[in-house]
Amino acid sequence: MKSYYQMTVLEKWTEDLYKRLSISHPSQISIEHISERLNIWVHYLDVRSKGIEATAGMYSMFIDNRLPASLQRLEFLHELCHLLRHAGSHSLMPERFTQEQEDESDRFILYAAMPYSMVSRMKLPELREDAIPYLAEAFQVPTELAMQRIDQIQRRVFQGQLLAVMGRQESQQPQSSRPVHSSRLISKLN
């Protein structure tokens, strides 16, 4: 599995962040642990979750206290992406740009809640229907999120295998008969 899996830029950034923070076990992916390492002041209030950069390098985050603890952690990860990767006021940005940031923060949840480096070290059950609850329990995430991550990993492994086969076939073809950009089709799988 490892040899064919290729991380996205955001996923690699997330893995590097966790490495810098010395986060290497699922139990360390907690609001308390991450906020302490990044010096983020977390406040639980009866408001929608939101991250705020008070001054350069000083962060505060409001987490909706009406949510169950498991969803509070996912909200924290979503807002963490905004704090660390997105600058500026959303109200001043074009709607499409704001939506792209929201989409990136949603993808970040998958990578930050279940990092590939940790998943790949686990001995997962062979069957998908057994692996999903196993991951959900290990990372304390909803089963829907674990299913989404398993499916994503499987697609990326398949994509890597397909690219490897295509690369071997291209290297065996005469130069004049090689396709121009065959990997462009594969990149649409993600």
Side-chain angles (χ1 to χ4, degrees):
M1 176 167 82
K2 281 184 185 181
S3 63
Y4 292 109
Y5 188 85
Q6 293 191 10
M7 292 186 195
T8 65
V9 172
L10 177 62
E11 188 171 11
K12 177 76 171 111
W13 183 87
T14 306
E15 293 278 348
D16 291 343
L17 172 67
Y18 277 9
K19 187 181 254 184
R20 284 193 314 273
L21 299 177
S22 299
I23 295 174
S24 58
H25 301 288
S27 63
Q28 295 172 312
I29 306 171
S30 69
I31 295 173
E32 296 76 22
H33 191 79
I34 295 172
S35 63
E36 179 183 304
R37 292 226 170 350
L38 291 172
N39 197 25
I40 298 172
W41 293 63
V42 178
H43 311 277
Y44 296 89
L45 300 170
D46 191 4
V47 297
R48 260 184 72 197
S49 299
K50 181 158 185 64
I52 299 170
E53 182 176 9
T55 61
M58 296 288 297
Y59 303 112
S60 286
M61 194 179 297
F62 302 104
I63 302 294
D64 190 339
N65 65 7
R66 299 166 293 188
L67 297 172
S70 61
L71 293 182
Q72 287 178 354
R73 186 170 65 106
L74 299 180
E75 288 276 308
F76 171 81
L77 293 174
H78 179 93
E79 296 304 326
L80 180 65
C81 183
H82 284 308
L83 283 177
L84 299 179
R85 292 185 57 89
H86 307 146
S89 171
H90 290 280
S91 61
L92 301 175
M93 295 180 193
E95 184 179 332
R96 183 174 176 184
F97 188 74
T98 303
Q99 187 57 52
E100 287 173 7
Q101 289 185 342
E102 287 299 317
D103 293 344
E104 182 179 68
S105 293
D106 288 341
R107 285 190 311 275
F108 177 80
I109 292 172
L110 279 177
Y111 305 141
M114 293 167 282
Y116 181 73
S117 61
M118 293 182 202
V119 173
S120 67
R121 288 192 311 257
M122 296 178 158
K123 180 142 177 61
L124 295 176
E126 292 278 328
L127 298 175
R128 179 180 180 274
E129 54 268 6
D130 295 334
I132 291 168
Y134 180 86
L135 264 187
E137 176 66 28
F139 288 99
Q140 297 298 296
V141 296
T143 55
E144 298 81 21
L145 198 65
M147 179 173 58
Q148 190 177 353
R149 185 65 167 135
I150 285 273
D151 291 347
Q152 182 186 62
I153 289 170
Q154 288 177 329
R155 278 193 316 273
R156 296 238 181 96
V157 169
F158 176 72
Q159 176 182 355
Q161 291 169 331
L162 193 54
L163 285 172
V165 167
M166 291 174 71
R168 284 194 297 267
Q169 288 175 348
E170 284 180 6
S171 67
Q172 294 172 357
Q173 290 180 358
Q175 188 72 20
S176 61
S177 65
R178 288 187 190 173
V180 179
H181 293 287
S182 61
S183 61
R184 230 183 294 160
L185 294 172
I186 306 302
S187 66
K188 296 189 187 259
L189 290 174
N190 286 328

